[in-house]
Amino acid sequence: MQQVHEDRYTTRLSTRPEQIARRDSVVHAKGGTNPPIDPSLVRDFERDGFIVLEDVFSPKEVARMRGTANEMRDYPDSLADETVISERDSGAVRSVFAIHRQTSDFDVVARDPRLADVARYILDDEVYIHQSRLNYKPAFKGKEFYWHSDFETWHAEDGMPDMRALSMSVMLTDNHPQAGPVMFVPGSHETFISCVGETPEDNYKSSLKRQETGIPDADSIAQLVDEGGIVAPAPKAGSVVIFDCNTLHASNGNITPFERMNAFFVFNAWSNRLKAPFAANSERPEHIAHRRVEAPLAPLSKVTGRLS
Amino acid sequence: MQQVHEDRYTTRLSTRPEQIARRDSVVHAKGGTNPPIDPSLVRDFERDGFIVLEDVFSPKEVARMRGTANEMRDYPDSLADETVISERDSGAVRSVFAIHRQTSDFDVVARDPRLADVARYILDDEVYIHQSRLNYKPAFKGKEFYWHSDFETWHAEDGMPDMRALSMSVMLTDNHPQAGPVMFVPGSHETFISCVGETPEDNYKSSLKRQETGIPDADSIAQLVDEGGIVAPAPKAGSVVIFDCNTLHASNGNITPFERMNAFFVFNAWSNRLKAPFAANSERPEHIAHRRVEAPLAPLSKVTGRLS
């Protein structure tokens, strides 16, 4: 693992967990520029590491996205095999990756200014999609997802150098507080939890079903929760949850009759493109961590770029 | 299975699930008598099938109960072996049964008029403890408990004839909405879901870890949730959640750093004592379903009966 870029967030190299104070800005935009969302939301994002934008997409747009999402789940044969991830126990489809590359509907969503302009502002750069996916949490039998920082994995396994990326989760169903919504630890994005344990070969094949490497230690989780609490927004369909790449999050299982579905996009700053992995022997495959990206995300054409 | 008492809630006898409208009152008290709690709470209980009484026990009383509960978990050797139930995967203690028989502290709690008088009023009868237990939901690794009606099990496996029993859960820790609190379906207590499948021999040995018989069908759960929604009260330590024997409930797993602990008492009407099981070949053991009960619960002596 020859590294040109300095490793400012070492992880999976020690036998003891460590905490490293964040070395990057959260909101990269310089003062003086006008944000595309309410300035108080930008401040909330900086403080908490996540925000909720209500009613971003109309019911008509949501219906169309949900239709496409259901089709992808029900007819996965039309998708690249490796992009379809199923639940460990039940075999039900849990995620489909690279959705903006596999359907024009989700390509349009990724480039929609209601999302991409917010990403450009917060990251203060041109942006591209590092990863996209549909997440299905089935009714009655959805499994939990344990606490983690996405950045820890993207840094260790994908070679993302700095904390200059964020995720946007577009709600395709109404969320119920007890149906396993994502739980965030406010303020946790300011601390990088360096995890113990080496990355096993082909770790991604199992980690997308259940993560066993890059797991924060219980003491660090308890400490950050003690300081920041746990908040689990459960917004309506059409809302968008935006969270920083290093915000500690998890989700409970879902035994309610409410199915949950969202479309998930990771925006990375163009200047923060991937290097060699910082703590793994090989890169994860292209459909999970995009490297073949020629240019930043282009704005939607005013003529063709409409979802509905 | 010779039955003298009529089986008004047949279950586990058919190959198709069925719904039976409740044949018993919810609040058995006749009008005109003064309830020991606010009358609006009695009306809520009748309508929803559950209520929360806030701040019933003082912090000092809670500390004492929690101390006793921790001791029972950490030194289970002092308890009858069969009363200690551990988690399927982790081996952590999940429940201790018959706590009012094994410690004077919890005997006193069961007879405390703040609990027993409410039970006597709602059931309009003398009462006794059908079952008691401590429930521990460990931090980080607590498992979920799927949807069920307690009465379905008590009727099928314990021979409890009618819906004239209720449960009280005394919170020994503050509850967090995302730490797997009990979820109730308001109004579900008015419908008995007759379940499919026969009761296996010694079913209780596995069902206390994960229930596989007496599970309501998904369509019935979805229908009742559609009508009543899902409510998951997360009250502070010292509060008491009271719910009817037939209220549909479940709980999510707990991956938060918050441990959850409660003391659980089932009050049954003296006139509703157990018969032979209605849908099982043998009785469950005494520590799970009390049959050796000589007399109704006696009030606490004013002199000796104090928890703190």
Side-chain angles (χ1 to χ4, degrees):
Chain A
M1 278 182 292
Q2 204 186 7
Q3 283 298 334
V4 181
H5 199 94
E6 184 199 356
D7 183 357
R8 302 156 80 215
Y9 299 103
T10 50
T11 185
R12 309 191 192 182
L13 298 174
S14 165
T15 52
R16 282 192 325 172
E18 260 184 278
Q19 294 183 13
I20 300 172
R22 183 185 186 111
R23 304 182 197 275
D24 299 292
S25 300
V26 178
V27 174
H28 296 258
K30 321 284 180 293
T33 48
N34 277 331
I37 52 174
D38 192 291
S40 72
L41 285 169
V42 177
R43 287 194 295 275
D44 289 352
F45 182 82
E46 184 151 39
R47 184 193 61 209
D48 296 336
F50 70 94
I51 49 173
V52 179
L53 309 183
E54 308 272 2
D55 298 321
V56 175
F57 293 96
S58 71
K60 196 176 163 191
E61 290 175 306
V62 169
R64 171 139 180 185
M65 285 189 268
R66 193 158 53 203
T68 305
N70 281 330
E71 221 167 278
M72 292 169 85
R73 178 186 52 189
D74 298 341
Y75 303 98
D77 286 359
S78 63
L79 305 169
D81 271 2
E82 70 276 14
T83 65
V84 181
I85 312 295
S86 50
E87 294 256 358
R88 204 184 173 93
D89 297 334
S90 66
V93 173
R94 176 177 184 143
S95 306
V96 175
F97 277 79
I99 54 172
H100 72 294
R101 290 182 170 182
Q102 299 198 76
T103 68
S104 61
D105 270 4
F106 288 112
D107 173 54
V108 167
V109 174
R111 291 190 286 136
D112 192 295
R114 289 169 291 183
L115 302 188
D117 279 354
V118 179
R120 287 186 194 101
Y121 177 83
I122 292 176
L123 304 178
D124 194 30
D125 199 351
E126 290 297 317
V127 297
Y128 73 99
I129 298 295
H130 165 62
Q131 181 187 94
S132 75
R133 62 178 196 260
L134 277 165
N135 293 316
Y136 305 91
K137 193 157 236 173
F140 295 116
K141 56 182 179 190
K143 291 292 170 211
E144 81 273 8
F145 219 111
Y146 196 70
W147 300 101
H148 63 288
S149 146
D150 290 333
F151 179 76
E152 197 277 341
T153 297
W154 300 339
H155 185 72
E157 301 190 33
D158 297 340
M160 184 183 284
D162 299 328
M163 293 186 186
R164 197 166 182 173
L166 53 78
S167 298
M168 297 200 187
S169 185
V170 180
M171 302 302 157
L172 303 186
T173 48
D174 291 346
N175 279 260
H176 187 282
Q178 294 298 330
V182 177
M183 306 184 275
F184 297 103
V185 179
S188 59
H189 59 308
E190 296 290 359
T191 303
F192 179 77
I193 304 176
S194 178
C195 302
V196 302
E198 280 186 34
T199 312
E201 206 67 37
D202 280 350
N203 179 48
Y204 72 92
K205 286 184 184 168
S206 59
S207 74
L208 300 177
K209 300 185 185 191
R210 185 157 74 185
Q211 197 164 357
E212 282 166 3
T213 314
I215 296 181
D217 61 294
D219 287 348
S220 295
I221 297 170
Q223 182 200 320
L224 293 175
V225 169
D226 191 49
E227 292 164 9
I230 294 174
V231 177
K236 295 238 170 296
S239 302
V240 178
V241 176
I242 307 182
F243 57 104
D244 177 78
C245 59
N246 189 45
T247 305
L248 190 64
H249 62 290
S251 67
N252 280 317
N254 179 25
I255 56 172
T256 75
F258 306 121
E259 176 186 52
R260 215 188 87 206
M261 201 190 293
N262 61 60
F264 185 83
F265 303 90
V266 180
F267 294 86
N268 192 19
W270 187 245
S271 59
N272 195 36
R273 291 199 305 290
L274 307 186
K275 314 281 181 191
F278 286 86
N281 288 320
S282 57
E283 299 169 356
R284 297 200 295 176
E286 178 66 24
H287 67 281
I288 292 176
H290 301 328
R291 294 175 180 273
R292 290 205 309 269
V293 181
E294 310 281 310
L297 216 55
L300 276 186
S301 144
K302 288 227 156 51
V303 181
T304 61
R306 296 193 60 80
L307 184 62
S308 51
Chain B
M1 279 185 290
Q2 203 185 9
Q3 283 299 334
V4 180
H5 198 95
E6 184 198 356
D7 183 357
R8 301 157 80 217
Y9 299 104
T10 50
T11 186
R12 308 190 192 183
L13 297 174
S14 164
T15 53
R16 283 193 324 173
E18 258 183 282
Q19 295 184 13
I20 300 172
R22 184 185 183 110
R23 304 182 197 275
D24 297 293
S25 299
V26 178
V27 175
H28 295 259
K30 321 282 181 294
T33 48
N34 277 334
I37 52 174
D38 192 290
S40 72
L41 285 169
V42 177
R43 286 193 295 272
D44 289 352
F45 182 83
E46 184 151 38
R47 183 193 60 206
D48 297 335
F50 70 94
I51 48 173
V52 179
L53 308 183
E54 309 273 1
D55 297 321
V56 174
F57 293 95
S58 72
K60 197 176 161 191
E61 290 175 306
V62 169
R64 170 139 182 185
M65 285 189 266
R66 196 159 49 202
T68 305
N70 281 331
E71 222 167 276
M72 294 170 84
R73 179 186 51 188
D74 298 341
Y75 304 99
D77 286 359
S78 64
L79 305 168
D81 270 1
E82 70 275 15
T83 65
V84 181
I85 312 296
S86 51
E87 294 256 359
R88 203 186 176 92
D89 296 334
S90 66
V93 172
R94 176 176 184 142
S95 306
V96 175
F97 278 80
I99 54 171
H100 72 294
R101 289 182 171 182
Q102 300 198 76
T103 68
S104 61
D105 270 4
F106 287 113
D107 173 53
V108 167
V109 173
R111 290 190 288 135
D112 192 295
R114 290 170 290 182
L115 302 188
D117 279 353
V118 179
R120 287 185 192 101
Y121 177 84
I122 291 177
L123 304 177
D124 194 32
D125 199 351
E126 289 297 318
V127 297
Y128 73 100
I129 299 295
H130 165 62
Q131 180 187 95
S132 75
R133 61 178 196 260
L134 276 166
N135 293 316
Y136 305 92
K137 193 156 234 171
F140 296 115
K141 57 184 179 190
K143 291 293 171 208
E144 81 273 8
F145 220 111
Y146 196 70
W147 299 101
H148 63 288
S149 147
D150 290 333
F151 179 76
E152 197 277 341
T153 298
W154 299 339
H155 185 72
E157 300 189 32
D158 298 339
M160 183 182 285
D162 299 328
M163 293 185 186
R164 197 166 181 172
L166 53 79
S167 296
M168 296 200 187
S169 184
V170 180
M171 302 301 156
L172 303 187
T173 49
D174 291 344
N175 280 259
H176 187 283
Q178 294 298 330
V182 177
M183 306 184 276
F184 297 103
V185 179
S188 59
H189 59 309
E190 295 290 0
T191 302
F192 180 77
I193 304 177
S194 177
C195 301
V196 302
E198 279 186 35
T199 312
E201 206 68 36
D202 281 349
N203 179 47
Y204 72 93
K205 286 184 185 168
S206 60
S207 74
L208 300 177
K209 301 187 186 192
R210 185 158 72 186
Q211 196 165 357
E212 282 168 4
T213 314
I215 296 181
D217 61 294
D219 286 348
S220 295
I221 296 169
Q223 182 201 320
L224 293 175
V225 168
D226 190 49
E227 291 164 9
I230 294 174
V231 177
K236 296 237 170 295
S239 303
V240 178
V241 176
I242 308 182
F243 57 103
D244 177 78
C245 59
N246 189 45
T247 305
L248 189 64
H249 62 290
S251 67
N252 279 319
N254 179 25
I255 56 173
T256 75
F258 306 120
E259 177 185 50
R260 215 188 85 205
M261 201 189 293
N262 60 62
F264 185 84
F265 302 90
V266 180
F267 294 87
N268 192 20
W270 186 246
S271 59
N272 195 36
R273 290 198 305 291
L274 307 185
K275 313 282 180 188
F278 286 87
N281 288 319
S282 56
E283 297 171 357
R284 296 200 296 175
E286 179 67 23
H287 67 280
I288 292 177
H290 300 328
R291 293 175 180 274
R292 290 205 309 269
V293 182
E294 310 279 309
L297 214 57
L300 277 187
S301 144
K302 287 227 156 55
V303 182
T304 60
R306 296 192 59 80
L307 183 62
S308 52

